[in-house]
PDB file of all heavy atoms in Angstrom:
ATOM      1  N   GLY A 139     -97.982 -40.225  16.879  1.00 92.00           N
ATOM      2  CA  GLY A 139     -97.726 -41.578  17.351  1.00 92.00           C
ATOM      3  C   GLY A 139     -97.255 -42.483  16.226  1.00 92.00           C
ATOM      4  O   GLY A 139     -97.649 -42.263  15.042  1.00 92.00           O
ATOM      5  N   CYS A 140     -96.275 -43.316  16.555  1.00 89.00           N
ATOM      6  CA  CYS A 140     -95.731 -44.197  15.485  1.00 89.00           C
ATOM      7  C   CYS A 140     -96.088 -45.618  15.774  1.00 89.00           C
ATOM      8  O   CYS A 140     -95.498 -46.245  16.602  1.00 89.00           O
ATOM      9  CB  CYS A 140     -94.203 -44.006  15.441  1.00 89.00           C
ATOM     10  SG  CYS A 140     -93.391 -45.195  14.458  1.00 89.00           S
ATOM     11  N   SER A 141     -97.077 -46.114  15.101  1.00 92.00           N
ATOM     12  CA  SER A 141     -97.498 -47.515  15.311  1.00 92.00           C
ATOM     13  C   SER A 141     -96.991 -48.414  14.152  1.00 92.00           C
ATOM     14  O   SER A 141     -96.310 -47.895  13.321  1.00 92.00           O
ATOM     15  CB  SER A 141     -99.022 -47.593  15.526  1.00 92.00           C
ATOM     16  OG  SER A 141     -99.381 -48.862  15.901  1.00 92.00           O
ATOM     17  N   ASN A 142     -97.410 -49.654  14.157  1.00 88.00           N
ATOM     18  CA  ASN A 142     -96.898 -50.607  13.159  1.00 88.00           C
ATOM     19  C   ASN A 142     -97.942 -51.620  12.694  1.00 88.00           C
ATOM     20  O   ASN A 142     -97.661 -52.765  12.461  1.00 88.00           O
ATOM     21  CB  ASN A 142     -95.624 -51.333  13.733  1.00 88.00           C
ATOM     22  CG  ASN A 142     -95.972 -52.084  14.991  1.00 88.00           C
ATOM     23  OD1 ASN A 142     -97.095 -51.993  15.459  1.00 88.00           O
ATOM     24  ND2 ASN A 142     -95.042 -52.817  15.560  1.00 88.00           N
ATOM     25  N   ASP A 143     -99.149 -51.164  12.644  1.00 87.00           N
ATOM     26  CA  ASP A 143    -100.379 -51.972  12.308  1.00 87.00           C
ATOM     27  C   ASP A 143    -100.701 -53.042  13.313  1.00 87.00           C
ATOM     28  O   ASP A 143    -101.585 -53.843  13.111  1.00 87.00           O
ATOM     29  CB  ASP A 143    -100.325 -52.470  10.848  1.00 87.00           C
ATOM     30  CG  ASP A 143     -99.297 -53.523  10.538  1.00 87.00           C
ATOM     31  OD1 ASP A 143     -99.326 -54.659  10.997  1.00 87.00           O
ATOM     32  OD2 ASP A 143     -98.272 -53.108   9.855  1.00 87.00           O
ATOM     33  N   LYS A 144     -99.963 -53.075  14.474  1.00 88.00           N
ATOM     34  CA  LYS A 144    -100.290 -54.050  15.495  1.00 88.00           C
ATOM     35  C   LYS A 144    -101.045 -53.292  16.589  1.00 88.00           C
ATOM     36  O   LYS A 144    -100.681 -52.232  17.022  1.00 88.00           O
ATOM     37  CB  LYS A 144     -98.973 -54.597  16.148  1.00 88.00           C
ATOM     38  CG  LYS A 144     -98.015 -55.223  15.097  1.00 88.00           C
ATOM     39  CD  LYS A 144     -98.517 -56.617  14.746  1.00 88.00           C
ATOM     40  CE  LYS A 144     -97.535 -57.458  13.991  1.00 88.00           C
ATOM     41  NZ  LYS A 144     -96.772 -56.826  12.950  1.00 88.00           N
ATOM     42  N   ALA A 145    -102.129 -53.922  17.014  1.00 89.00           N
ATOM     43  CA  ALA A 145    -103.021 -53.307  18.042  1.00 89.00           C
ATOM     44  C   ALA A 145    -102.194 -53.001  19.304  1.00 89.00           C
ATOM     45  O   ALA A 145    -102.419 -51.916  19.961  1.00 89.00           O
ATOM     46  CB  ALA A 145    -104.152 -54.247  18.359  1.00 89.00           C
ATOM     47  N   ASP A 146    -101.364 -53.893  19.663  1.00 88.00           N
ATOM     48  CA  ASP A 146    -100.612 -53.676  20.900  1.00 88.00           C
ATOM     49  C   ASP A 146     -99.751 -52.419  20.847  1.00 88.00           C
ATOM     50  O   ASP A 146     -99.718 -51.642  21.838  1.00 88.00           O
ATOM     51  CB  ASP A 146     -99.591 -54.914  21.032  1.00 88.00           C
ATOM     52  CG  ASP A 146     -99.176 -55.189  22.425  1.00 88.00           C
ATOM     53  OD1 ASP A 146    -100.079 -55.064  23.298  1.00 88.00           O
ATOM     54  OD2 ASP A 146     -97.979 -55.462  22.690  1.00 88.00           O
ATOM     55  N   THR A 147     -99.106 -52.166  19.732  1.00 90.00           N
ATOM     56  CA  THR A 147     -98.321 -50.921  19.660  1.00 90.00           C
ATOM     57  C   THR A 147     -99.243 -49.686  19.588  1.00 90.00           C
ATOM     58  O   THR A 147     -98.883 -48.683  20.190  1.00 90.00           O
ATOM     59  CB  THR A 147     -97.431 -50.953  18.382  1.00 90.00           C
ATOM     60  OG1 THR A 147     -96.863 -52.285  18.280  1.00 90.00           O
ATOM     61  CG2 THR A 147     -96.331 -49.906  18.397  1.00 90.00           C
ATOM     62  N   ALA A 148    -100.369 -49.863  18.848  1.00 94.00           N
ATOM     63  CA  ALA A 148    -101.277 -48.763  18.781  1.00 94.00           C
ATOM     64  C   ALA A 148    -101.719 -48.291  20.197  1.00 94.00           C
ATOM     65  O   ALA A 148    -101.868 -47.104  20.438  1.00 94.00           O
ATOM     66  CB  ALA A 148    -102.500 -49.143  17.915  1.00 94.00           C
ATOM     67  N   ILE A 149    -102.023 -49.254  21.055  1.00 92.00           N
ATOM     68  CA  ILE A 149    -102.429 -48.932  22.418  1.00 92.00           C
ATOM     69  C   ILE A 149    -101.359 -48.209  23.144  1.00 92.00           C
ATOM     70  O   ILE A 149    -101.584 -47.175  23.822  1.00 92.00           O
ATOM     71  CB  ILE A 149    -102.864 -50.203  23.136  1.00 92.00           C
ATOM     72  CG1 ILE A 149    -104.227 -50.711  22.610  1.00 92.00           C
ATOM     73  CG2 ILE A 149    -102.874 -50.031  24.626  1.00 92.00           C
ATOM     74  CD1 ILE A 149    -105.357 -49.773  22.965  1.00 92.00           C
ATOM     75  N   LYS A 150    -100.100 -48.687  23.007  1.00 90.00           N
ATOM     76  CA  LYS A 150     -98.986 -48.079  23.683  1.00 90.00           C
ATOM     77  C   LYS A 150     -98.852 -46.598  23.273  1.00 90.00           C
ATOM     78  O   LYS A 150     -98.683 -45.676  24.035  1.00 90.00           O
ATOM     79  CB  LYS A 150     -97.674 -48.858  23.459  1.00 90.00           C
ATOM     80  CG  LYS A 150     -97.476 -49.951  24.428  1.00 90.00           C
ATOM     81  CD  LYS A 150     -96.093 -50.515  24.259  1.00 90.00           C
ATOM     82  CE  LYS A 150     -96.163 -51.930  24.829  1.00 90.00           C
ATOM     83  NZ  LYS A 150     -95.780 -53.016  23.928  1.00 90.00           N
ATOM     84  N   GLU A 151     -98.972 -46.402  21.924  1.00 93.00           N
ATOM     85  CA  GLU A 151     -98.780 -45.103  21.376  1.00 93.00           C
ATOM     86  C   GLU A 151     -99.972 -44.171  21.787  1.00 93.00           C
ATOM     87  O   GLU A 151     -99.762 -42.983  22.014  1.00 93.00           O
ATOM     88  CB  GLU A 151     -98.615 -45.155  19.886  1.00 93.00           C
ATOM     89  CG  GLU A 151     -97.263 -45.660  19.432  1.00 93.00           C
ATOM     90  CD  GLU A 151     -96.101 -44.767  19.915  1.00 93.00           C
ATOM     91  OE1 GLU A 151     -95.884 -43.703  19.288  1.00 93.00           O
ATOM     92  OE2 GLU A 151     -95.455 -45.070  20.894  1.00 93.00           O
ATOM     93  N   THR A 152    -101.125 -44.792  21.735  1.00 95.00           N
ATOM     94  CA  THR A 152    -102.300 -43.998  22.186  1.00 95.00           C
ATOM     95  C   THR A 152    -102.152 -43.547  23.622  1.00 95.00           C
ATOM     96  O   THR A 152    -102.390 -42.351  23.960  1.00 95.00           O
ATOM     97  CB  THR A 152    -103.588 -44.866  22.097  1.00 95.00           C
ATOM     98  OG1 THR A 152    -103.692 -45.316  20.727  1.00 95.00           O
ATOM     99  CG2 THR A 152    -104.785 -44.036  22.464  1.00 95.00           C
ATOM    100  N   LYS A 153    -101.649 -44.368  24.514  1.00 92.00           N
ATOM    101  CA  LYS A 153    -101.425 -43.963  25.889  1.00 92.00           C
ATOM    102  C   LYS A 153    -100.437 -42.920  25.997  1.00 92.00           C
ATOM    103  O   LYS A 153    -100.562 -41.937  26.776  1.00 92.00           O
ATOM    104  CB  LYS A 153    -100.964 -45.206  26.718  1.00 92.00           C
ATOM    105  CG  LYS A 153    -102.035 -46.187  27.050  1.00 92.00           C
ATOM    106  CD  LYS A 153    -101.568 -47.331  27.904  1.00 92.00           C
ATOM    107  CE  LYS A 153    -102.731 -48.162  28.422  1.00 92.00           C
ATOM    108  NZ  LYS A 153    -102.225 -49.355  29.121  1.00 92.00           N
ATOM    109  N   ARG A 154     -99.398 -43.003  25.194  1.00 91.00           N
ATOM    110  CA  ARG A 154     -98.327 -41.995  25.186  1.00 91.00           C
ATOM    111  C   ARG A 154     -98.903 -40.598  24.818  1.00 91.00           C
ATOM    112  O   ARG A 154     -98.633 -39.604  25.455  1.00 91.00           O
ATOM    113  CB  ARG A 154     -97.187 -42.403  24.311  1.00 91.00           C
ATOM    114  CG  ARG A 154     -95.927 -41.583  24.460  1.00 91.00           C
ATOM    115  CD  ARG A 154     -94.820 -42.151  23.551  1.00 91.00           C
ATOM    116  NE  ARG A 154     -95.064 -41.932  22.104  1.00 91.00           N
ATOM    117  CZ  ARG A 154     -94.837 -40.895  21.454  1.00 91.00           C
ATOM    118  NH1 ARG A 154     -94.251 -39.891  22.073  1.00 91.00           N
ATOM    119  NH2 ARG A 154     -95.066 -40.797  20.197  1.00 91.00           N
ATOM    120  N   LEU A 155     -99.654 -40.638  23.686  1.00 94.00           N
ATOM    121  CA  LEU A 155    -100.262 -39.342  23.238  1.00 94.00           C
ATOM    122  C   LEU A 155    -101.246 -38.799  24.214  1.00 94.00           C
ATOM    123  O   LEU A 155    -101.202 -37.579  24.523  1.00 94.00           O
ATOM    124  CB  LEU A 155    -100.933 -39.528  21.886  1.00 94.00           C
ATOM    125  CG  LEU A 155    -100.017 -39.910  20.695  1.00 94.00           C
ATOM    126  CD1 LEU A 155    -100.850 -40.255  19.444  1.00 94.00           C
ATOM    127  CD2 LEU A 155     -99.154 -38.696  20.376  1.00 94.00           C
ATOM    128  N   MET A 156    -102.115 -39.614  24.724  1.00 95.00           N
ATOM    129  CA  MET A 156    -103.232 -39.088  25.583  1.00 95.00           C
ATOM    130  C   MET A 156    -102.769 -38.831  27.025  1.00 95.00           C
ATOM    131  O   MET A 156    -103.201 -37.875  27.546  1.00 95.00           O
ATOM    132  CB  MET A 156    -104.460 -40.070  25.531  1.00 95.00           C
ATOM    133  CG  MET A 156    -104.909 -40.493  24.182  1.00 95.00           C
ATOM    134  SD  MET A 156    -105.372 -39.111  23.138  1.00 95.00           S
ATOM    135  CE  MET A 156    -106.853 -38.489  23.955  1.00 95.00           C
TER     136      MET A 156
END
Side-chain angles (χ1 to χ4, degrees):
Chain A
C140 168
S141 187
N142 58 357
D143 65 73
K144 305 281 191 318
D146 204 41
T147 317
I149 285 293
K150 273 190 201 120
E151 286 297 283
T152 303
K153 282 183 173 175
R154 193 174 67 84
L155 291 172
M156 306 306 289

